[in-house]
Amino acid sequence: MEFALFNVVGIHFVLKWLHIFFGIMWIGHLYYFNFTQGAFMAQTDAPAKSQVQQKLLPIALWWFRWGAMWTFVTGLAMLHTASYTGFSLQGDWGVKILTGTLLGITMWFNVWFVIWPAQKIVIDNAKNVAEGKPANPEAAGAGARALLGSRTNTMFSIPMLFFMVAAPHLPIAMDMNNVTTYWIAMFIVWAALQFNGMKGKLGPMTSVNGVIACGFGLTAVIYLMMEIIL
Ligand code: HEM
């Protein structure tokens, strides 16, 4: 009797199953924050808002950031196991998966080093104010930083998922002689958007429709870069 799970293909598969489980946990919360909670907060009164910040945000952010961490860990593990299942980082699979991975790791970085530190300031401030202590003048700026980082991640999530799933499922013929040019172009687009996500402006990402449109637009830009350059 042979067990399908007890070999490297099975291990890769279990990692992928866990990866998608944690990915849903993470991106589900990201979309909840951006599509649902933001609209609620914009129309609610100050006491309800404070309750959300003090009691709901810490719980939601716990699932959010640990979902991100384990998506990241299982993703890195799969980059390793994939080489035993016939995939090569040197081929077209590699270009697609590394494009998705670049966006995914950037999003993981933004969760842990941009959004979470900023949200901690917002949560602590809400608790202090509720206890009658003075408000932290930095809280508004921290909230704005968290929003920009979160919107940037929402935009990145759309092409991230496209290229992650395209890697094994959408064959794209590529001329690997031009791969350096592709990565230079990709790096410029990525760096500009990530720099904006840390220091720039919301622009069209201010609205939910806007950030979704940016995500689909970015997917089209990267896809066309891949087809035209490679
Ligand atoms: C954080 C960094 C991430 C890394 C390093 C990473 C890496 C990977 C790798 C190496 C694979 C295996 C692809 C294959 O077997 O051909 C994969 C698959 C996958 N990833 Fe990620 N990933 C990351 C984030 C995410 C996120 C946030 C999601 C969102 C839900 C996601 C969704 C998926 C899906 C759905 C697959 C299955 C693709 C398929 O077989 O069709 N990944 N990822």
Side-chain angles (χ1 to χ4, degrees):
M1 193 173 187
E2 275 195 32
F3 290 92
L5 282 179
F6 296 164
N7 54 54
V8 75
V9 172
I11 293 170
H12 185 75
F13 177 81
V14 170
L15 284 170
K16 191 175 283 192
W17 174 52
L18 294 174
H19 182 69
I20 297 173
F21 170 68
F22 290 120
I24 293 169
M25 192 184 288
W26 170 15
I27 306 302
H29 278 88
L30 178 71
Y31 292 166
Y32 159 75
F33 288 133
N34 279 276
F35 302 163
T36 307
Q37 189 185 289
F40 170 77
M41 294 292 251
Q43 52 175 284
T44 197
D45 54 11
K49 221 167 158 169
S50 168
Q51 286 293 307
V52 169
Q53 288 170 341
Q54 291 182 67
K55 309 251 169 67
L56 187 144
L57 260 191
I59 303 170
L61 283 168
W62 188 88
W63 290 101
F64 175 69
R65 70 182 185 280
W66 289 108
M69 183 59 85
W70 288 105
T71 308
F72 172 69
V73 169
T74 49
L76 290 188
M78 274 191 296
L79 279 180
H80 185 68
T81 52
S83 62
Y84 296 96
T85 63
F87 289 120
S88 161
L89 286 175
Q90 261 79 53
D92 70 309
W93 177 85
V95 172
K96 289 175 282 181
I97 203 67
L98 290 177
T99 299
T101 294
L102 173 67
L103 298 172
I105 293 179
T106 309
M107 290 165 59
W108 166 84
F109 174 88
N110 288 339
V111 167
W112 278 89
F113 303 107
V114 178
I115 300 170
W116 171 233
Q119 289 288 34
K120 269 200 288 198
I121 297 174
V122 171
I123 293 167
D124 286 345
N125 181 59
K127 287 182 180 159
N128 284 343
V129 171
E131 288 168 11
K133 293 183 192 154
N136 182 350
E138 284 175 21
R145 279 204 303 283
L147 175 66
L148 181 58
S150 195
R151 283 289 204 263
T152 302
N153 271 10
T154 303
M155 171 181 66
F156 281 156
S157 72
I158 295 170
M160 182 280 302
L161 193 58
F162 180 94
F163 291 103
M164 200 135 292
V165 179
H169 297 294
L170 179 69
I172 302 180
M174 293 188 191
D175 176 357
M176 296 311 263
N177 290 317
N178 296 332
V179 79
T180 310
T181 312
Y182 168 77
W183 283 119
I184 291 171
M186 182 61 205
F187 178 81
I188 292 169
V189 171
W190 165 82
L193 293 172
Q194 174 61 9
F195 181 77
N196 181 68
M198 294 178 73
K199 303 259 173 234
K201 295 204 160 61
L202 282 168
M205 295 185 292
T206 306
S207 73
V208 170
N209 287 347
V211 73
I212 293 173
C214 288
F216 280 92
L218 180 59
T219 309
V221 167
I222 302 174
Y223 171 74
L224 288 175
M225 282 183 350
M226 237 178 230
E227 291 280 23
I228 292 167
I229 301 174
L230 294 174

